[in-house]
Amino acid sequence: MQPQPAPGSCHYRYTADKEPLPDVKCTPGARNPAVTQATLKNTVCRPGGYTSTIRPPVSVTGQERTANARAYGYTDSLSDAEYDHFLSLSFGGDPNDRRNLWVEPPSPGHKPGTGTANPKDAVESKIHTALCSGRVTLDAAQHAVVTDWTTALRSLHLT
């Protein structure tokens, strides 16, 4: 288990649309050193999938998630939040570096008790497709997401 920031030391930020963003001091994003522009075809873009081969097991992330929720002061149901990789595994985020994981609260309009429905996932999917088709570079994709995932598609000219 990765040690987590101290309880209450991290603070969510929110976009104008009230979408959650992580605290840049606690969760700035962390890159997987195995994923580079030169290794895309053998890592994140390889046929048959990649993320399932590097995703940490729940036996590891379960304890981290609880500790991370305390760091962010998240007290609502964890079943409605996602322990999310800020830089997605699908475009080179580190699988278990605490700087890349955060308890992402539900988006506006979420109905409690319905599980996670994270609009960030659709953004990540579009970026992954663009990355693997050569429409964006790895550095540009990662920079756009850590700057603000809600504007990443627009800044990458993918809308």
Side-chain angles (χ1 to χ4, degrees):
M1 179 176 131
Q2 292 287 323
Q4 297 296 309
S9 64
C10 303
H11 306 283
Y12 293 110
R13 301 174 296 136
Y14 291 90
T15 67
D17 295 334
K18 300 189 180 177
E19 290 291 350
L21 299 170
D23 186 322
V24 294
K25 292 179 186 170
C26 297
T27 314
R31 296 175 178 205
N32 180 344
V35 179
T36 66
Q37 191 68 38
T39 66
L40 291 178
K41 288 184 181 177
N42 296 321
T43 56
V44 298
C45 299
R46 77 173 181 225
Y50 170 73
T51 63
S52 64
T53 67
I54 63 162
R55 187 176 302 280
V58 173
S59 61
V60 171
T61 60
Q63 293 175 7
E64 292 174 356
R65 179 183 191 192
T66 300
N68 189 271
R70 284 193 295 269
Y72 271 93
Y74 184 80
T75 58
D76 291 337
S77 172
L78 283 174
S79 64
D80 288 325
E82 181 176 347
Y83 192 45
D84 192 42
H85 292 93
F86 187 37
L87 273 179
S88 172
L89 300 180
S90 68
F91 48 86
D94 191 280
N96 201 35
D97 184 318
R98 78 175 191 174
R99 296 170 303 161
N100 198 41
L101 286 155
W102 64 305
V103 170
E104 183 176 358
S107 291
H110 175 78
K111 294 180 183 175
T114 60
T116 60
N118 184 349
K120 183 173 170 275
D121 294 343
V123 170
E124 292 168 343
S125 179
K126 288 179 182 178
I127 292 172
H128 177 258
T129 299
L131 176 68
C132 293
S133 68
R135 291 175 34 221
V136 299
T137 65
L138 181 62
D139 284 344
Q142 291 175 339
H143 177 75
V145 169
V146 298
T147 300
D148 181 345
W149 69 264
T150 67
T151 61
L153 294 177
R154 198 167 40 251
S155 70
L156 293 168
H157 307 289
L158 299 174
T159 55

